[in-house]
């Protein structure tokens, strides 16, 4: 049996939206479930989209997600090069082989001629389809044009009758009428292959067994199958996946910034949580388990359970997953994770390590992404607080002043400033002022922190410090 090999084949745009990443996840899981290989191939035949450093960016992204790339441009295996622009000769050689076999042909049609055809098609309200003008040129005619150096492309000669069947793991068998297939370009006039040609050559030569890609390629796959047949090659398994749409139901794009993996990462979303969230976006396990370790995912993953319909990115759900993962971090890992966000936002020079640890620890069960802590801890860094309407009207109630007066006396009397002594002080206020529950805690909370909700009151008071608390009172 062939070793399972899947490939992730992004264009080097320096940007990975979560839809691309989800494809990589599916590919990775299919490979690893069979102890197979996961390959990275860079599809850069459209050189205009190329961005400096994009390959390292893809390596970094996949490594953050804990996907080991078994072969790729930075760790070549036996099937290199892994960058399409370095494989130009390979595509050309194979295109010529097809010309030899009569499955492809040289086309010398000028842009002007093609523009005219496009115009006519548009006047007739028809989709443009190349008319096969050069398909029947004689060998002599072709040789003459080539000798003269006339620019050309190489096109695939499609059968005009019959049907081609595409078998897909997710969508089943799809029957395509050959008459709708255009004689597509395989090699462009600049000598570069089209995606439609390069993907077939590479997938075959790299021994890829499973091709996972966007559903938008499904209809094209009949043309790929005809190429495999023309070469006499075995076809891979196809796994076409429906799109991930943005929160507003539109297609994900670079402009929709928050759908990029790196943006999420920089906001404090944990890669493990992103992966866990994404895999369930369009795939469902047999059980109703939601939080999966990588090993559990590899075990549970079955591409047959990928959904046929598109799924919608949902930040709330992602936040839920991320919060689960934050809660599960060890104290040390959690600290390393949130500290950079704090350091970025506040000057911590005068804060002790103990204070910083205490501060962040009380938020581990409350934040759903790393950067969220910045806003949450604001009350500990501001000098002045202003009360909103709701707080003000609460503070106008009878008895509030007496509670605060008693509280102030208790605080002043504390000699050993710690959470326990503060808890005792609050308890004493309860006795002295004869209040309890909300009427005890809320006036104190509002007076010291300026807000009605927050972490445990004794921790809050402790972290604010005696001086600040008395000043606010
Ligand atoms: N370069 C293609 C893309 O980014 C890959 C499609 C495929 O995986 O075959 O959409």
């Amino acid at each position: 049996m062939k070793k399972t090999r899947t490939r992730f084949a992004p264009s080097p745009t320096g940007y990975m939206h979560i839809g691309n990443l989800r494809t990589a996840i599916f590919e990775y899981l299919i490979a690893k479930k069979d102890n197979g290989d996961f390959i990275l191939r860079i599809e850069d035949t459209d050189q205009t989209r190329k961005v400096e450093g994009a390959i390292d960016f893809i390596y970094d992204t996949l490594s953050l997600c804990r996907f080991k790339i078994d072969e790729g441009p930075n760790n070549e295996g036996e099937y290199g090069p892994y960058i399409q622009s370095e494989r130009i000769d390979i595509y050309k050689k194979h295109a010529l082989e097809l010309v030899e076999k009569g499955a492809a042909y040289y086309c010398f049609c000028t842009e002007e001629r093609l523009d005219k055809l496009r115009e006519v098609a548009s006047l007739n309200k028809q989709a443009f389809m190349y008319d096969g003008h050069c398909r029947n040129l004689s060998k002599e005619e072709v040789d003459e044009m080539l000798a003269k150096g006339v620019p050309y492309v190489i096109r695939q000669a499609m059968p005009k009758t019959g049907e081609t069947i595409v078998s897909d793991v997710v969508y089943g068998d799809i029957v395509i009428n050959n008459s709708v297939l255009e004689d597509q370009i395989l090699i462009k006039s600049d000598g570069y292959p089209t995606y439609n040609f390069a993907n077939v050559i590479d997938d075959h030569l790299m021994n890829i067994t499973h091709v996972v890609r966007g559903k938008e390629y499904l209809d094209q796959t009949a043309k790929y199958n005809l190429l495999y047949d023309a070469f006499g090659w075995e076809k891979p398994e196809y796994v076409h996946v429906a799109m991930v749409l943005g929160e507003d139901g539109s297609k994900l794009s670079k402009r929709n910034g928050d759908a990029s993996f790196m943006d999420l990462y920089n906001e404090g979303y944990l890669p493990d949580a992103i992966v866990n969230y994404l895999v369930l976006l369009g795939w469902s396990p047999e059980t109703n388990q939601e939080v999966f370790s990588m090993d559990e995912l590899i075990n549970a993953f079955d591409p047959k359970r990928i959904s046929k319909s598109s799924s919608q990115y949902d930040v709330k759900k992602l936040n839920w997953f991320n919060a689960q993962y934050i809660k599960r971090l060890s104290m040390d890992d959690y600290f390393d994770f949130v500290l950079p966000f704090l350091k970025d936002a506040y000057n911590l020079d005068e804060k002790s390590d103990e204070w910083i640890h205490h501060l962040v620890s009380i938020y581990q069960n409350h934040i759903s992404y790393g950067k969220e802590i910045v806003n949450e801890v604001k009350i500990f860094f501001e000098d002045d607080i202003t009360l909103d309407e709701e707080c003000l009207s609460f503070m106008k109630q009878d008895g509030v002043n007496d509670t605060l007066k008693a509280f102030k006396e208790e605080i002043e009397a504390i000699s050993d400033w710690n959470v326990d002594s503060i808890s005792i002080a609050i308890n004493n206020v309860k006795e002295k002022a004869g209040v309890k529950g909300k009427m005890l805690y809320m006036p104190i909370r509002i007076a010291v922190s300026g807000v009605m909700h927050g972490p445990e009151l004794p921790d809050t008071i402790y972290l604010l410090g005696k001086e600040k608390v008395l000043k606010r009172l």
Side-chain angles (χ1 to χ4, degrees):
M1 230 184 70
K2 266 179 141 179
K3 185 173 197 189
T4 297
R5 286 169 60 87
T6 61
R7 88 295 190 277
F8 181 45
S11 300
T13 57
Y15 167 82
M16 180 146 12
H17 70 58
I18 51 172
N20 290 137
L21 181 58
R22 191 192 58 168
T23 306
I25 298 172
F26 289 166
E27 281 153 357
Y28 184 79
L29 294 176
I30 290 174
K32 294 304 150 184
K33 194 174 176 88
D34 283 350
N35 285 316
D37 294 333
F38 174 64
I39 286 107
L40 174 65
R41 179 172 80 225
I42 302 298
E43 303 211 323
D44 62 344
T45 55
D46 178 359
Q47 293 272 317
T48 55
R49 295 178 71 199
K50 201 165 166 177
V51 167
E52 218 37 59
I55 295 179
D56 290 338
F57 172 85
I58 296 165
Y59 268 89
D60 291 347
T61 301
L62 295 181
S63 134
L64 283 168
C65 293
R66 297 180 201 272
F67 300 158
K68 194 177 149 290
I69 299 171
D70 295 300
E71 293 160 32
N74 292 359
N75 57 327
E76 298 221 337
E78 298 168 42
Y79 301 89
Y82 292 81
I83 301 179
Q84 286 189 328
S85 60
E86 295 171 13
R87 300 171 61 82
I88 302 304
D89 294 346
I90 301 178
Y91 307 123
K92 186 71 183 286
K93 175 178 152 266
H94 282 88
L96 294 181
E97 206 177 307
L98 288 184
V99 173
E100 262 321 283
K101 289 178 192 280
Y105 60 92
Y106 285 97
C107 167
F108 301 94
C109 286
T110 59
E111 265 317 304
E112 293 76 59
R113 176 170 192 275
L114 296 176
D115 281 346
K116 280 226 176 73
L117 290 181
R118 279 188 198 104
E119 240 170 71
V120 175
S122 127
L123 281 176
N124 293 337
K125 298 202 162 48
Q126 281 169 343
F128 166 74
M129 188 151 141
Y130 177 66
D131 62 355
H133 182 71
C134 293
R135 192 162 162 156
N136 297 317
L137 292 178
S138 67
K139 178 141 184 5
E140 290 69 34
E141 284 170 307
V142 169
D143 287 346
E144 198 186 316
M145 301 283 247
L146 291 177
K148 277 199 228 153
V150 180
Y152 65 85
V153 300
I154 296 179
R155 290 184 183 269
Q156 184 178 357
M158 296 296 175
K160 292 295 162 212
T161 56
E163 292 167 339
T164 300
I165 296 174
V166 174
S167 299
D168 184 83
V169 171
V170 177
Y171 292 92
D173 282 357
I174 294 163
V175 182
I176 309 273
N177 230 317
N178 291 337
S179 62
V180 306
L181 303 176
E182 187 187 24
D183 285 356
Q184 66 171 348
I185 297 177
L186 305 178
I187 302 287
K188 297 183 273 188
S189 55
D190 61 2
Y192 272 72
T194 53
Y195 163 79
N196 288 337
F197 189 50
N199 92 82
V200 170
I201 304 300
D202 289 343
D203 286 340
H204 171 73
L205 294 181
M206 294 179 174
N207 267 340
I208 300 302
T209 56
H210 296 69
V211 167
V212 183
R213 69 179 152 223
K215 189 190 165 205
E216 63 274 21
Y217 292 98
L218 186 57
D219 285 344
Q220 303 289 324
T221 304
K223 298 177 182 174
Y224 310 150
N225 278 357
L226 289 164
L227 286 171
Y228 280 97
D229 290 342
F231 283 113
W233 293 342
E234 192 186 329
K235 299 174 193 76
E237 294 250 11
Y238 294 117
V239 183
H240 284 90
V241 296
M243 256 200 253
V244 180
L245 301 174
E247 288 223 274
D248 56 0
S250 66
K251 199 174 164 207
L252 290 179
S253 74
K254 204 166 179 169
R255 269 176 293 146
N256 195 353
D258 56 357
S260 126
F261 171 83
M262 271 305 164
D263 287 350
L264 291 174
Y265 180 69
N266 291 333
E267 288 282 300
Y269 286 87
L270 295 162
D272 290 346
I274 300 177
V275 168
N276 195 152
Y277 166 69
L278 285 180
V279 79
L280 292 176
L281 199 57
W283 172 77
S284 52
E286 270 176 54
T287 62
N288 50 15
Q289 183 176 351
E290 288 200 285
V291 177
F292 284 87
S293 69
M294 185 57 89
D295 282 344
E296 287 173 328
L297 272 184
I298 291 171
N299 266 323
F301 192 72
D302 174 0
K304 290 199 185 74
R305 298 184 62 87
I306 292 176
S307 154
K308 288 190 179 65
S309 31
S310 26
S311 25
Q312 202 156 340
Y313 175 62
D314 174 0
V315 155
K316 280 206 202 87
K317 190 76 192 176
L318 173 61
N319 281 347
W320 181 83
F321 273 101
N322 206 45
Q324 304 309 307
Y325 277 82
I326 291 175
K327 279 183 199 151
R328 287 163 198 228
L329 291 176
S330 71
M331 198 30 101
D332 283 350
D333 288 347
Y334 166 71
F335 188 68
D336 293 344
F337 162 65
V338 284
L339 192 61
F341 295 104
L342 272 194
K343 276 194 172 153
D344 238 24
Y346 302 108
N347 178 1
L348 301 178
D349 290 349
E350 277 161 26
K351 309 290 187 192
S352 69
D353 282 354
E354 187 270 336
W355 186 88
I356 299 171
H357 265 96
H358 195 136
L359 176 72
V360 300
S361 71
I362 57 181
Y363 287 96
Q364 184 167 11
N365 288 329
H366 295 286
I367 54 170
S368 44
Y369 58 97
K371 209 172 189 174
E372 197 177 12
I373 199 159
V374 171
N375 208 25
E376 294 289 319
V377 301
K378 211 160 71 193
I379 54 165
F380 297 102
F381 292 91
E382 285 171 339
D383 281 332
D384 299 312
I385 48 177
T386 33
L387 303 190
D388 66 13
E389 277 304 314
E390 203 185 354
C391 289
L392 281 173
S393 80
F394 191 97
M395 296 301 254
K396 282 183 193 140
Q397 294 178 80
D398 287 346
V400 165
N401 267 342
D402 293 340
T403 306
L404 292 180
K405 203 166 146 256
F407 177 64
K408 191 169 178 213
E409 283 164 17
E410 285 296 323
I411 290 292
E412 276 165 344
I414 294 179
S415 55
D416 192 6
W417 189 251
N418 58 46
V419 174
D420 288 341
S421 60
I422 295 166
S423 299
I424 294 169
I426 297 174
N427 225 14
N428 293 343
V429 176
K430 187 169 158 186
E431 308 289 315
K432 268 197 194 167
V435 283
K436 57 182 184 187
K438 197 172 171 185
M439 285 314 289
L440 168 67
Y441 293 107
M442 204 53 99
I444 299 176
R445 186 182 287 285
I446 294 175
V448 300
S449 70
V451 288
M452 296 180 99
H453 305 282
E456 290 292 317
L457 195 48
D459 290 293
T460 306
I461 294 167
Y462 168 74
L463 289 165
L464 282 167
K466 189 168 177 176
E467 200 186 319
K468 204 173 238 175
V469 169
L470 285 174
K471 199 172 143 223
R472 289 184 180 175
L473 284 170

